[in-house]
Amino acid sequence: LTGIKYVFDKALFRRMLSYSWPILILGIAGILNQTADKILFPYIYKGENAHEQLGIYGAASKIAMIMAMIMQAFRYAYEPFVFGKAKDKDNRDTYAQAMKYFIIFTLLAFLVVVGYIDLLKYIIAPDYWSGLQVVPIVMAAEIMMGIYFNLSFWYKLTDRTIWGAWFSGTGCLVLVLGNVLFVPQYGFMACAWSGVAGYGTAMLLSYFVGQRYYPINYPLRDIAWYLVLAAISYHFMEKYDSLLLNTAVIAFFVSYVLHKDLPPSSLPVIGKYFRTSPSPSQGGEKGMRDESYWMRDESYWMRDEELRVKLSSALLNSRTPELLKKAYVYTPTLLSLLHSQAKRIKNEELNI
């Protein structure tokens, strides 16, 4: 191109460099977290069959890579979503809910793999089955890595990527030390537990520091309850070792999720088969406070003029800001069709 003068922007270059070089360190640390145990194992394991033990550990870990595949798919979808939502005023609530559902579905994947390990073990040769005991531990480490990935966006959004380098570096150091100290005595089980320690360290550091610079109100109570429920389910699976019981435990976990946080009526495609008429008179305002009440396809609300009038009256009578915000978030198009009083509520009560 002619007529354009190109100038090297030193200030922009410094900003780009200060943002990106810690991500490079973070990436290197992440690769080491995945491979350091396998690199170090032959040199620090005291037994004569070090390569045999490493082969068993590596083969058994392949089953746990189901979690890694879930993580990879999630990363490709979630990262663009986060940066796209960065300027939205309700983005932190969205991130909190995303964390919750990520943990729910990874715990479900964990239970499925553990519950059907007697079938999945045929992915590898019988000679390697002695290493199957590491599968739940490696999967737990992968879940922690996924949580750390979810938490990592605060320092990317606030241009504090140097913290990411510190977190990943510290986690990598913990993992390497765990291998060096315990592999000589405990073999490849130490590799698995060192991964849990390393990812757990990075995860906790990112959470506590992130709450200082970019506080997000994560639903910790709900998350803790799901962790307890998954731990109890895992205990029953390990104790009784029955495919039938394992299936029942997984079915119970799924039914609990559907009942508490993911009602079938809110699911895509199949949700329309579970929707019932959500008359505002059913359950009163208490029923309308349920988030699942609003998480419907808006076409459902627009079918019936009488239903829209009843809903508008219920909104007017409730005068509850929390309820009105739910209505605005989940049914914005519907509210735009309601009468002028509802429009006045939208502007005055919601302050938007």
Side-chain angles (χ1 to χ4, degrees):
L1 297 175
T2 59
I4 299 177
K5 184 179 181 180
Y6 296 94
V7 178
F8 183 75
D9 192 330
K10 294 182 179 179
L12 179 60
F13 177 74
R14 284 194 295 268
R15 285 180 57 197
M16 292 173 60
L17 194 62
S18 65
Y19 183 91
S20 59
W21 79 260
I23 296 180
L24 173 64
I25 303 300
L26 185 155
I28 294 173
I31 294 172
L32 286 175
N33 284 337
Q34 294 283 343
T35 60
D37 53 352
K38 300 173 183 65
I39 295 173
L40 293 172
F41 191 88
Y43 299 100
I44 57 181
Y45 183 66
K46 290 184 177 180
E48 296 181 357
N49 59 341
H51 288 88
E52 177 184 336
Q53 292 295 304
L54 179 60
I56 294 173
Y57 172 61
S61 296
K62 288 180 180 179
I63 298 177
M65 288 302 102
I66 294 173
M67 188 68 73
M69 290 189 288
I70 295 173
M71 268 298 308
Q72 193 70 5
F74 178 80
R75 291 181 65 175
Y76 281 131
Y78 191 56
E79 192 160 8
F81 171 78
V82 167
F83 286 102
K85 292 279 292 182
K87 294 183 180 180
D88 293 355
K89 61 182 179 180
D90 63 338
N91 58 354
R92 302 193 190 199
D93 291 337
T94 303
Y95 302 155
Q97 290 302 310
M99 173 70 84
K100 176 181 175 180
Y101 287 110
F102 170 81
I103 293 175
I104 289 174
F105 285 111
T106 50
L107 288 176
L108 176 59
F110 173 87
L111 293 177
V112 169
V113 172
V114 173
Y116 296 107
I117 193 70
D118 288 338
L119 301 177
L120 293 173
K121 68 183 180 181
Y122 290 100
I123 295 174
I124 60 178
D127 292 341
Y128 300 104
W129 288 358
S130 60
L132 290 176
Q133 56 189 324
V134 305
V135 172
I137 306 170
V138 174
M139 290 193 72
E142 292 287 342
I143 292 175
M144 291 181 180
M145 183 183 71
I147 296 174
Y148 172 59
F149 173 78
N150 271 273
L151 294 169
S152 69
F153 285 104
W154 74 262
Y155 56 73
K156 295 178 181 178
L157 293 173
T158 59
D159 294 344
R160 293 185 173 92
T161 52
I162 186 63
W163 282 108
W166 281 112
F167 300 151
S168 296
T170 303
C172 184
L173 179 62
V174 170
L175 184 146
V176 171
L177 286 176
N179 278 272
V180 171
L181 293 175
F182 299 111
V183 164
Q185 183 175 357
Y186 299 103
F188 57 71
M189 290 298 294
C191 295
W193 282 112
S194 295
V196 171
Y199 287 126
T201 299
M203 176 187 72
L204 292 174
L205 288 174
S206 184
Y207 172 76
F208 287 113
V209 177
Q211 289 301 97
R212 175 183 177 185
Y213 291 103
Y214 195 81
I216 296 176
N217 186 26
Y218 292 108
L220 297 181
R221 181 176 297 178
D222 290 344
I223 291 172
W225 172 241
Y226 276 110
L227 290 173
V228 171
L229 183 60
I232 295 173
S233 301
Y234 173 71
H235 171 73
F236 275 97
M237 290 178 175
E238 287 291 296
K239 183 176 181 179
Y240 296 103
D241 192 22
S242 165
L243 282 177
L244 183 61
L245 177 63
N246 293 352
T247 302
V249 170
I250 294 169
F252 173 78
F253 187 89
V254 171
S255 62
Y256 181 82
V257 172
L258 293 175
H259 173 74
K260 187 175 186 299
D261 286 299
L262 202 63
S265 60
S266 67
L267 297 175
V269 183
I270 65 171
K272 60 184 178 181
Y273 299 108
F274 295 91
R275 291 168 187 156
T276 57
S277 178
S279 172
S281 62
Q282 296 177 354
E285 185 177 314
K286 181 179 179 181
M288 296 174 69
R289 288 176 183 272
D290 184 4
E291 208 158 283
S292 64
Y293 179 90
W294 300 101
M295 295 177 63
R296 304 169 186 271
D297 187 338
E298 288 190 8
S299 63
Y300 181 87
W301 297 96
M302 296 179 198
R303 294 180 200 151
D304 189 345
E305 176 67 27
E306 182 181 356
L307 178 61
R308 294 202 301 271
V309 172
K310 287 182 179 180
L311 175 61
S312 176
S313 299
L315 291 173
L316 287 166
N317 293 332
S318 70
R319 310 292 279 181
T320 306
E322 177 191 356
L323 179 60
L324 297 171
K325 287 180 181 179
K326 287 184 183 297
Y328 180 73
V329 169
Y330 292 113
T331 58
T333 306
L334 172 66
L335 282 188
S336 68
L337 297 177
L338 296 176
H339 52 71
S340 58
Q341 288 179 303
K343 291 183 179 179
R344 177 174 56 80
I345 286 180
K346 184 177 69 171
N347 294 325
E348 295 179 2
E349 296 288 339
L350 302 181
N351 294 319
I352 55 174

